[in-house]
Amino acid sequence: MHLRIDDQEIDVPPGTTIKEAAKLAGIKIPGLCDHPELERYGGCRLCLVEVEGIRGYPSSCTMPVSEGMKVRTNTPALKSLRLNILEMLLSEHPCICLICERSGMCDEVREGMRKVPQTMGCRYCPKDGRCELQEAVTQIGLKKVELCRIGTEKEIIRSPFFDRDPNLCILCGRCVRACADRGVSAISFVFRGFDTVIGTAFEKPLEDVGCRFCGACVDVCPTGALVERANKWSGVAKRVVETICPYCSSNCQIGIEVKDDKILRTRPKGSKLCVRGRFGLEFVSNQRLTRPMILKGEGLVEAGWQEAMELVAERLGGYKGRRFAMLLSGVLTNEALRTAKKFSERVMNSRAVAEDTSSDFSLTEIIQGPLLAVGDLAETNPATELAIRHSKPVVISPFRTMLAKKASVWLRCRPGEEPQVLEAIAKASVQENTDALGDTVISAEEILKAAKLLGKASVVVGPDCNRAVRKAAENLVRVIGGKLCVVGRNCNSRGVAVLGLDQGYEETMQSLMSGEIAAAYIVGSNPARSDPELIESLSNLEFLVVQDLFLTETAKLADVILPAASFAEIEGTYTSSDGRMLQLMPALSAISKSDMQIISELCHKMKGRLPDDPASSRPEGTKTWTGKGQQSEDITSSGSFILVEGPCLFEFGSGTRTSRVRDLQYLNKDRYVDIHPRDAARHKISNGEPVSIQSRGRSIRGLARVSMSVPEGVMRICGRASRIASAEVRRDV
Amino acid sequence: MKKKAARDTTEDGAQEICKGLDLEEGATIPLLQRVQSRLGYISPEALREIAEAMGLSESEVYGIATFYSEFKLSKPGRHLIKICMGTSCYLGGGKKLLEHMSRELGIKPGRTTEDEKFSLETVACLGCCSKSPVMAVDGVIYGGLSPSSAESILAHLESEP
Ligand code: SF4
Ligand code: SF4
Ligand code: FES
Ligand code: FES
């Protein structure tokens, strides 16, 4: 479409707004409420333009272009309109500094940066230097505000990770739209007229209205109304380092803002981050190990690298062969994984394994076709879930997950029934009649309906699904000619799988439990926390080396602890699920050596020593490993309740890192037990009431959360801590 | 124990009210009206039910409810205090009176004290402009008030059981 903006002729595709077209032509129209990633709105009226043949002044951010349009963006009339509108806007906003004629010069004479708890003007605003209002004032050329200040001081609302200062809010509605875009709508415009604010139902705290703390609202806020609390007053970053989020396999691109060798904040880089990538990186500077430690006598004491490495090399030398095991994890870089694999195979004549896997698939491709999803991806892999949500997948889940809400067909099975449902779909897609579709709570009609949608579909299996689900999914994929997409748990799950390190984890655990393994080297994982039943076997090891960022539960059992550098301090790569190499960039100076460096130094030290005889018989009377995290085993029913543990957004994996992020810890402080309203009524439990659940002689305490998201007769506990409690469930309050 | 029983009935009530309504687009307001006419106000539980039924978030429904002044969002107290914000009263010190009472009771206008004794509201003009500033307590009009005289009227009520 061809149009003229000011003196420029330009061609743009239909559907473009005037404002976007102007931007393409290099003309910047001011505006505070529109945002390229959000729904069009047209609330602030700063982007008014004149269009030949149209009366009045349309807002350019909402009006689409049309053929032959003639637009003027900067006439005297427009200028004075904008001045007036902006002046009005500023009559409700602290603005002295914006229009002070010595603006920008007061830095030298400023004393005591913060004597008052509230922002009085821009120099005292946490967004100073990053504020779009400042930009607009400059661009529009406002020099004075003559209207008197109206409105009363409103209280600052604190929530985990960020603060909301309603006094700085210009009610542009960006945050509301950003939240709606994520499908949450925790905030909304409330009250009307002068009293209008952005708020929550009954002014409840954000965590009580379903906020997932992705920070999308903070990212789009043009003013200082919404800012991260961490480093709030540290100003603008010196540099931004683009790297990859170290949590889940969604592999979001992040920009780490750095100043004085400290992470100020993290911003999305063309990605839609979740709370972990956005606010969860504080662990890199929290309780880190900086020096190796060695078990001497009863306790672990700090030691030099030389001493620690010598000791490891010497002791491990005695366990070559099958008495040694190396446990890795998908949080490590490809470089570290490769070196570790080489170390355990060539130097130790044994194998390295990781409890992690992922298949090879391209998210952008699979969302083009039909989809079936199993697992609670919104909790485990939020960005992946966001991407597939829009293609309206068929969802198998007992719970009304974020994804189930958007499903084209939601097959609400009983917990643990997922494999049977997958089987039923497989059957239904080859046979016409409705009988013999298996014995699930889902009707044959629904199964058939789903099967009809799923020809050649991609089957997405979340990392919270057990092996039975994966098997059934594999089979279904074979029948329907689709694609199996096993979503990885960690940032480099795919790297683990490519190197074949996902093979043999269970056997290794068996040999660990049976005592066949006498020495182990654990890098970047914390089995003592994720799997408390392994603690005994780990402490019985003759020699245990743990390499980690922190003094983890597992590290406490070690003979030698080697401190490693975090993802933010190293270069390296992760492999994405579609096989791309994603580059990590160092943002901070390294606190310690990288995993790869440590392991390769060890390789050098130990090479040349002769391998010992692989050997030593298996001790008598041993236990066997029962496996964990497997849904079917975590489900037990007793009386009328089935207890299920679900993954939790705020606690990642074993929780080693997320427990070192203060506000995530705060969000995890209460363990919630979801219970259906009818069950709650029957047992006289009300929302928020403490409950205790008896299980295997242990009792789990939690707060009841009455919610339709669980089916009747089922209780769901959020997060890892419940893992201890997978047995009989009885209610006793 | 007694308190809990009361809460349970509200919850059930809300559920019942929302049941069986046709949930077409735009039904939120009729639902709110229905709840208000049954309960006398929109309780947090009822709001949750409505949100659930409409596929909206609680905050979205709250946004709608607070947009229309007809909806009350807290349980009416035993005594209703209305402070006039009409032009004459506003100029005659009504604003100050409101701020004072709001601080005294610890609630914003539109709310009810925790002990459910007082609700505070503002009105546009009570038709007694000559006596500004004016306040009405349970329908009885008091004029020419100062913060302290208004307080003593409340104190009188407060001493009641
Ligand atoms: S908080 Fe920020 S984004 Fe939200 S309405 Fe106010 S100014 Fe706009
Ligand atoms: S979705 Fe995954 S990769 Fe993206 S920010 Fe969250 S944890 Fe990090
Ligand atoms: S930017 Fe167009 S109305 Fe705000
Ligand atoms: S303005 Fe208060 S009674 Fe009229």
Side-chain angles (χ1 to χ4, degrees), chain A residues 41 45 98 179 221-222 302 319 409 414 482 484 541 579 614 624 645 693 695 708:
Chain A
Y41 182 61
R45 317 305 294 175
L98 280 173
C179 196
C221 180
E302 288 201 348
Y319 296 98
V409 181
R414 303 292 293 171
L484 179 67
L541 286 169
T624 47
E645 70 171 44
I693 300 166
S695 155
M708 304 268 276

Side-chain angles (χ1 to χ4, degrees), chain A residues 369-653:
Chain A
L371 282 175
L372 169 65
V374 204
D376 197 347
L377 287 167
E379 306 294 315
T380 57
N381 300 63
T384 307
E385 191 267 346
L386 263 185
I388 68 177
R389 186 190 289 176
H390 297 293
S391 37
K392 300 221 173 291
V394 174
V395 173
I396 303 178
S397 169
F399 309 110
R400 194 177 53 183
T401 58
M402 299 284 281
L403 204 52
K405 285 187 207 160
K406 305 280 167 176
S408 55
V409 181
W410 173 25
L411 304 173
R412 189 170 204 178
C413 59
R414 303 292 293 171
E417 245 178 25
E418 293 88 345
Q420 288 92 295
V421 177
L422 287 162
E423 264 164 46
I425 299 175
K427 277 194 200 140
S429 51
V430 288
Q431 75 188 32
E432 273 299 302
N433 54 341
T434 55
D435 33 76
L437 286 183
D439 186 22
T440 67
V441 292
I442 296 166
S443 70
E445 288 73 47
E446 275 189 287
I447 299 272
L448 280 175
K449 188 169 150 207
K452 284 227 172 65
L453 294 171
L454 292 174
K456 296 218 173 355
S458 308
V459 180
V460 182
V461 180
D464 52 331
C465 295
N466 63 20
R467 207 196 269 182
V469 176
R470 277 210 293 275
K471 266 233 173 73
E474 222 176 296
N475 181 48
L476 172 63
V477 163
R478 212 170 307 122
V479 174
I480 60 175
K483 181 155 184 53
L484 179 67
C485 312
V486 178
V487 180
R489 191 187 308 267
N490 287 304
C491 51
N492 201 18
S493 292
R494 186 63 201 142
V496 166
V498 168
L499 286 169
L501 298 166
D502 55 342
Q503 303 299 314
Y505 183 77
E506 274 160 42
E507 293 88 270
T508 307
M509 285 303 109
Q510 297 285 9
S511 356
L512 181 68
M513 296 283 276
S514 68
E516 199 180 332
I517 288 170
Y521 188 173
I522 301 180
V523 187
S525 81
N526 189 1
R529 184 176 169 117
S530 53
D531 239 332
E533 63 173 300
L534 286 175
I535 292 179
E536 202 188 319
S537 314
L538 289 169
S539 20
N540 287 342
L541 286 169
E542 288 166 28
F543 190 63
L544 173 64
V545 187
V546 173
Q547 186 167 311
D548 210 295
L549 308 183
F550 317 106
L551 188 57
T552 61
E553 289 76 357
T554 311
K556 286 183 184 147
L557 308 173
D559 295 278
V560 179
I561 306 173
L562 302 173
S566 76
F567 88 102
E569 297 148 33
I570 56 172
E571 264 184 70
T573 59
Y574 297 148
T575 307
S576 68
S577 46
D578 57 355
R580 281 170 303 131
M581 286 294 144
L582 308 168
Q583 186 70 43
L584 278 182
M585 294 304 278
L588 307 175
S589 51
I591 288 183
S592 186
K593 305 181 190 192
S594 76
D595 287 302
M596 181 191 79
Q597 199 183 349
I598 302 170
I599 303 169
S600 61
E601 278 175 23
L602 205 57
C603 271
H604 281 297
K605 269 203 167 42
M606 291 180 68
K607 240 190 231 144
R609 297 192 190 191
L610 287 173
D612 293 348
D613 283 343
S616 113
S617 58
R618 188 185 167 130
E620 305 285 304
T622 50
K623 300 167 292 202
T624 47
W625 189 66
T626 53
K628 59 133 201 173
Q630 312 230 328
Q631 282 180 5
S632 57
E633 280 160 287
D634 280 342
I635 297 162
T636 346
S637 59
S638 141
S640 56
F641 279 113
I642 297 180
L643 178 74
V644 184
E645 70 171 44
C648 173
L649 174 67
F650 302 127
E651 186 174 44
F652 186 81

Side-chain angles (χ1 to χ4, degrees), chain A residues 182-195:
Chain A
R182 297 292 177 101
V184 177
S185 287
I187 46 173
S188 174
F189 282 97
V190 299
F191 299 104
R192 71 184 294 181
F194 269 129
D195 297 326

